[in-house]
Amino acid sequence: MSTPAHPPGKKIRITVVAADGLCKRDVFSYPDPFAVVTVDAEQTHTTSVIKKTLNPYWNESFDITVTESAITVQIFDQRKSSRRDQGFLGVVNVRVSDVLDLDLGGHQMLTFDLKKSNGDLPVHGKLIIILSTNVPQPILNPGPSNDITTTSPGSLLAGWEERYTPEGRSYYVNHNTRTTTWVDPRRQSVVGVIGPIGQNTSLLPQSTSQLGPLPSGWEICLTSTARVYFVDHNTNTTTWDDPRLPFVDANVPQYKRDFRRKLIYFRSQPAMRAHSDSCQIKVRRNHIFEDSYAKIMKQAPNDLKKRLMIKFDGEDGPDYGGLSREFFSLLSHEIVKPFYRLFYHSGRGDHTLQINPASGVNPEHLNYFEFTGRCFGLAILHRHFVDAYFDASFYKMILRKKLTLSDLESVDAELHRSLTWMLDNNISGVIDKTGGTDISVTEENKEEYVDHVVEYRISKRVKDQFEAFMSGFSELIPQDLITVFDERELELLIGGMSEIDMDDWCQYTQYRGYGTNDEVIGWFWKCVRSWPPERKSRLLQFATGTSRIPVSGFKNLQGPNGPMRFTIEKSGDPSQLPKSHTCFNRIDLPPYKDYASLDQKLTLAVQNTVGFGLV
């Protein structure tokens, strides 16, 4: 083992885990990579050689002594290492103090893009290393040595065999399942934690082996280039995102990254999967509340978890998703109508809703709240949105989170100002009683008093109504799963996004019979962009069945079998109105002769069309 030339510092352990996507410089052969670890140009350690691969997995550890040290890890191809620079595959330089606190200790798994040295040879790929101050026992290092070993990184698992293609590339045969893979099964613990080549993706501080097995119904697969992807057989969809890992995408805002990560986890749980068979619900448009209440409340919770099939009385067309979306949109609008006295608008005039404490004037109000809870749970379970927006405190109550004074501002602004003044000022001699009790409000207990007032004003006075709502909601959505979200994320889960991004809409629209530069398409987008937000939402509802869009935008609009883009198809006579196919997110747009005709007919179709027809 190498001995440091400088005074002893802190001993740490470096583990060279794996590299991914190394540069392939020969057309007919693959490199034999190994790694060389150098500390302050004095301590040197060398890994074993992995034959014929662009994705070597070493998982070899070395104990090194560091102070403010710089660690250099270089990757070479043994087949060309005797030639000057020809065997160089990349290098990373790490200053220990930048990634690890030697005094506090720690364990960091890190990923780096491989960099060029002084030459002009192409370099790409990533390197994973682990730095740890936890050095429980000495290890036997294979270096330093000038002789490069060819020891494999451990024996293959039982039932596995390594073979080579005619071009010399290694692959692996799993005789247990009679399958083959390009990926060494000994490196499965880190497969999937590195992003695609070219993406500046940060490595997550855990490996997939620590995350446990995939959720039920999921499968891990590989593309022809050995990139990992995941198949959800429950929904017949695929994704690059490991359902066990946080979602990482540098191009997505942080709040959307966190939400998508949680959403993948939430929807992968067994309790959130639709059952086999179908749940048939037939309603009349003019009596949607009464019919829905009768149909939904008589169903057992497990029956409601079957695939939802909505039928509007007197209308044709099977439900491939569009009718269900429209059903939840119409029903949610009906539930919050003042006629039922279940909810009322918040004090700020911002159109958010609160539970009505006077709902008891409706003798069926608790049954209706339970019904509303079931409807919300049903929408979440079947991945639809509700066109009703509640005050943030309502979502916090669903999550069983403590309410604070800041939550009161949107509920009762005047009371919020009074209580804020109370906390900010000395109230000695100002307030004597707490409104009917014998306890005086003092400087010492005023914070407790404020907490009680907030709790009463927001939640306690509507406790019966809210618990009825939760009894219906919890029959379909387990409380331990919903709490993965915060209140803002829960609002997105229930209601989707409210603001329509026109650039995003245009970008993720596809055309049939038209091209992006056709005059009619230009007129269409000019017309829509000129509309007020309400009419844009009406157009979206006309085409897709709902005015809400997924949190990730138009690229993830849902169709009958997963994401389906908004589509404009050239169809119909210019004398006709545009037609919609809500199940397929499609508008049939005739080739109008001028902008005025398109504007008139599209506006007429959007504002006056009610009902569903399969044309």
Side-chain angles (χ1 to χ4, degrees), residues 74-197:
Q74 300 177 85
I75 311 297
F76 294 96
D77 177 4
Q78 187 203 26
R79 298 172 64 250
K80 296 185 177 182
S81 60
S82 60
R83 309 179 196 176
R84 182 173 180 177
D85 286 339
Q86 288 299 306
F88 178 77
L89 295 174
V91 62
V92 299
N93 294 290
V94 185
R95 182 162 293 279
V96 176
S97 58
D98 292 341
V99 296
L100 203 62
D101 190 319
L102 296 178
D103 295 326
L104 296 178
H107 179 94
Q108 292 288 336
M109 180 182 278
L110 307 164
T111 186
F112 299 95
D113 289 316
L114 290 167
K115 304 296 184 182
K116 293 182 179 181
S117 184
N118 295 326
D120 295 327
L121 291 173
V123 169
H124 58 68
K126 295 180 183 291
L127 177 71
I128 306 173
I129 63 171
I130 298 173
L131 295 179
S132 177
T133 57
N134 182 20
V135 188
Q137 294 179 354
I139 58 173
L140 296 176
N141 288 318
S145 173
N146 293 326
D147 298 324
I148 300 170
T149 65
T150 58
T151 307
S152 66
S155 302
L156 285 167
L157 301 173
W160 284 83
E161 177 188 359
E162 183 177 10
R163 295 181 182 177
Y164 295 91
T165 67
E167 295 79 17
R169 182 180 181 184
S170 61
Y171 67 97
Y172 300 87
V173 181
N174 184 352
H175 294 289
N176 304 298
T177 60
R178 298 184 179 180
T179 57
T180 60
T181 176
W182 296 114
V183 180
D184 189 329
R186 293 165 293 189
R187 66 186 294 268
Q188 289 292 331
S189 62
V190 293
V191 164
V193 297
I194 305 180
I197 299 304

Side-chain angles (χ1 to χ4, degrees), residues 307-590:
R307 181 180 176 184
L308 198 60
M309 301 294 290
I310 299 297
K311 174 74 174 177
F312 285 109
D313 187 46
E315 300 180 23
D316 57 354
D319 184 9
Y320 291 114
L323 289 180
S324 294
R325 290 196 296 270
E326 186 178 10
F327 167 76
F328 282 106
S329 176
L330 295 174
L331 180 58
S332 56
H333 280 287
E334 189 71 18
I335 285 173
V336 301
K337 282 185 175 181
F339 174 79
Y340 299 100
R341 302 293 180 91
L342 302 179
F343 302 95
Y344 71 105
H345 289 290
S346 298
R348 290 191 305 177
D350 60 0
H351 304 296
T352 58
L353 296 159
Q354 304 175 45
I355 293 176
N356 184 359
S359 63
V361 298
N362 182 340
E364 294 293 326
H365 72 127
L366 295 183
N367 291 330
Y368 285 167
F369 275 111
E370 182 182 357
F371 164 64
T372 302
R374 274 199 173 194
C375 291
F376 277 48
L378 200 61
I380 293 173
L381 181 68
H382 294 284
R383 306 187 182 187
H384 296 296
F385 297 126
V386 172
D387 281 347
Y389 292 88
F390 295 84
D391 187 83
S393 60
F394 178 74
Y395 301 108
K396 290 184 74 172
M397 290 166 64
I398 293 176
L399 299 173
R400 305 293 186 183
K401 296 177 71 172
K402 179 177 173 59
L403 298 170
T404 64
L405 179 59
S406 61
D407 298 316
L408 184 64
E409 184 174 13
S410 59
V411 175
D412 191 330
E414 184 176 349
L415 180 58
H416 174 265
R417 284 194 298 271
S418 298
L419 296 179
T420 302
W421 181 92
M422 178 184 293
L423 293 178
D424 293 342
N425 294 275
N426 190 319
I427 62 168
S428 298
V430 177
I431 300 177
D432 296 327
K433 303 291 183 180
T434 60
T437 71
D438 294 328
I439 303 174
S440 298
V441 181
T442 65
E443 275 294 302
E444 290 71 27
N445 66 12
K446 67 181 182 181
E447 291 186 3
E448 182 182 1
Y449 169 73
V450 168
D451 288 342
H452 283 301
V453 172
V454 169
E455 181 184 8
Y456 174 78
R457 179 63 181 82
I458 298 177
S459 65
K460 197 169 184 179
R461 65 178 187 157
V462 293
K463 182 177 183 297
D464 292 341
Q465 295 93 320
F466 179 73
E467 292 303 328
F469 172 90
M470 288 302 296
S471 69
F473 185 83
S474 301
E475 287 178 329
L476 299 173
I477 308 297
Q479 184 68 27
D480 61 330
L481 290 184
I482 202 68
T483 51
V484 71
F485 302 104
D486 63 28
E487 59 271 20
R488 292 303 179 188
E489 292 165 341
L490 181 58
E491 180 181 10
L492 291 175
L493 179 70
I494 293 174
M497 293 181 66
S498 58
E499 183 179 350
I500 294 178
D501 185 335
M502 287 304 303
D503 292 334
D504 184 59
W505 195 351
C506 293
Q507 180 181 353
Y508 293 105
T509 293
Q510 62 184 19
Y511 305 94
R512 296 180 184 175
Y514 287 117
T516 55
N517 297 321
D518 284 354
E519 193 173 36
V520 173
I521 297 301
W523 292 339
F524 177 88
W525 291 119
K526 177 184 176 182
C527 175
V528 176
R529 286 180 183 274
S530 70
W531 284 355
E534 184 274 340
R535 197 180 301 173
K536 291 174 183 175
S537 296
R538 292 286 296 272
L539 171 63
L540 184 60
Q541 189 172 38
F542 170 71
T544 68
T546 178
S547 60
R548 320 316 303 175
I549 59 174
V551 65
S552 50
F554 282 86
K555 67 179 179 180
N556 280 329
L557 277 180
Q558 293 297 304
N561 296 306
M564 179 175 287
R565 299 280 176 86
F566 177 79
T567 303
I568 301 175
E569 181 164 336
K570 187 176 183 178
S571 178
D573 187 89
S575 64
Q576 297 175 333
L577 298 177
K579 297 177 182 178
S580 67
H581 303 263
T582 59
C583 291
F584 306 102
N585 301 329
R586 191 174 87 228
I587 283 181
D588 289 348
L589 186 67

Side-chain angles (χ1 to χ4, degrees), residues 20-21 54-55 169 182-183 197 222-228 240:
D20 189 77
L54 300 177
N55 307 298
R169 182 180 181 184
W182 296 114
V183 180
I197 299 304
L222 295 171
T223 67
S224 59
T225 58
R227 182 180 176 186
V228 174
W240 298 116

